[in-house]
Amino acid sequence: LAKTTQPISMDSYEGQEVNITCSHNNIATNDYITWYQQFPSQGPRFIIQGYKTKVTNEVASLFIPADRKSSTLSLPRVSLSDTAVYYCLVGGLATSGTYKYIFGTGTRLKVLA
Amino acid sequence: NAGVTQTPKFQVLKTGQSMTLQCAQDMNHNSMYWYRQDPGMGLRLIYYSASEGTTDKGEVPNGYNVSRLNKREFSLRLESAAPSQTSVYFCASSEVGGLYEQYFGPGTRLTVT
């Protein structure tokens, strides 16, 4: 299973772009990279998913280098409501035919006014 | 659509007691999951069901059993609760198995004394 490593916490100011990097050195060929956002006392919410290169949706971009050993979630122009914990999730179909997932430790993002 | 619902929201058990956590989804999803989240930690996968009629172990299955009752419902049972099982339990579902977007329920906060 690919373990992930993320910064424990980050601070940013409103209107800034925030980049959160996740390290996953042992990522397997079948593994996808997914990012979730979690507010206190709520279940996580899907942000974005990718396999390689760059993926962009209406809320974020995901950059994955060619070796796929890391990924960077980019949040453009953050606001106070983006204060949350962000999880990097790596997983996919294991050789046993079952699905395996590992959530990272999460990055606690605090957006300041 | 209610999405993913979980009952109960809170529960206190004594060591050795048993209970079942209920989860239901109304999105016609094939795959369902149970996670636990300890204070200040990321989520860990307990069990998942890739499709109706199948279940498989995740990262931390010991002390738990699951039942995929039908396509909508996936229950988690603690046969003999232990203090180490004090946690917040999240149920999730996704359209198909693998690392597709998972939709999470609001969680059940369980305390075992």
Side-chain angles (χ1 to χ4, degrees):
Chain A
L1 288 174
K3 288 199 70 174
T4 60
T5 303
Q6 304 173 232
I8 293 174
S9 64
M10 295 178 69
D11 288 346
S12 181
Y13 288 95
E14 279 191 292
Q16 288 189 331
E17 177 185 75
V18 171
N19 295 311
I20 306 175
T21 297
C22 179
S23 172
H24 28 80
N25 290 322
N26 296 323
I27 190 168
T29 303
N30 290 337
D31 287 347
Y32 278 73
I33 301 153
T34 310
W35 286 80
Y36 283 83
Q37 175 192 55
Q38 187 178 28
F39 298 112
S41 302
Q42 293 186 25
R45 187 175 70 173
F46 174 90
I47 301 174
I48 198 166
Q49 182 182 85
Y51 184 80
K52 62 180 178 180
T53 64
K54 177 184 174 182
V55 180
T56 298
N57 62 21
E58 62 276 8
V59 299
S61 295
L62 178 60
F63 298 92
I64 305 170
D67 66 6
R68 305 203 323 125
K69 294 188 177 194
S70 66
S71 58
T72 299
L73 174 72
S74 181
L75 304 171
R77 298 180 300 281
V78 294
S79 64
L80 294 175
S81 62
D82 293 317
T83 294
V85 178
Y86 291 82
Y87 291 100
C88 168
L89 173 63
V90 173
L93 188 62
T95 52
S96 60
T98 59
Y99 291 105
K100 298 298 180 185
Y101 308 88
I102 291 286
F103 265 85
T105 54
T107 297
R108 200 169 292 273
L109 173 66
K110 185 174 183 180
V111 180
L112 307 168
Chain B
N1 285 350
V4 178
T5 57
Q6 295 183 233
T7 55
K9 287 188 168 51
F10 302 94
Q11 183 71 49
V12 179
L13 292 178
K14 290 185 171 16
T15 298
Q17 287 185 319
S18 62
M19 78 162 296
T20 299
L21 281 64
Q22 306 287 354
C23 173
Q25 52 90 10
D26 62 1
M27 296 173 281
N28 201 35
H29 284 170
N30 290 298
S31 300
M32 299 184 73
Y33 315 82
W34 276 106
Y35 293 89
R36 62 176 287 175
Q37 185 172 34
D38 298 330
M41 304 289 289
L43 281 77
R44 291 184 291 172
L45 182 66
I46 305 172
Y47 271 94
Y48 67 95
S49 171
S51 61
E52 187 179 355
T54 68
T55 61
D56 209 342
K57 295 178 181 179
E59 186 186 357
V60 288
N62 291 345
Y64 305 94
N65 286 303
V66 291
S67 295
R68 183 74 182 268
L69 304 170
N70 48 54
K71 192 171 185 179
R72 288 187 65 248
E73 298 170 291
F74 189 37
S75 63
L76 178 72
R77 183 160 178 85
L78 287 72
E79 290 291 352
S80 179
S84 61
Q85 293 178 305
T86 293
S87 190
V88 179
Y89 290 84
F90 289 102
C91 176
S93 70
S94 63
E95 188 171 341
V96 295
L99 259 186
Y100 288 88
E101 179 176 353
Q102 295 184 23
Y103 294 79
F104 284 79
T108 294
R109 190 173 297 273
L110 175 67
T111 301
V112 183
T113 61

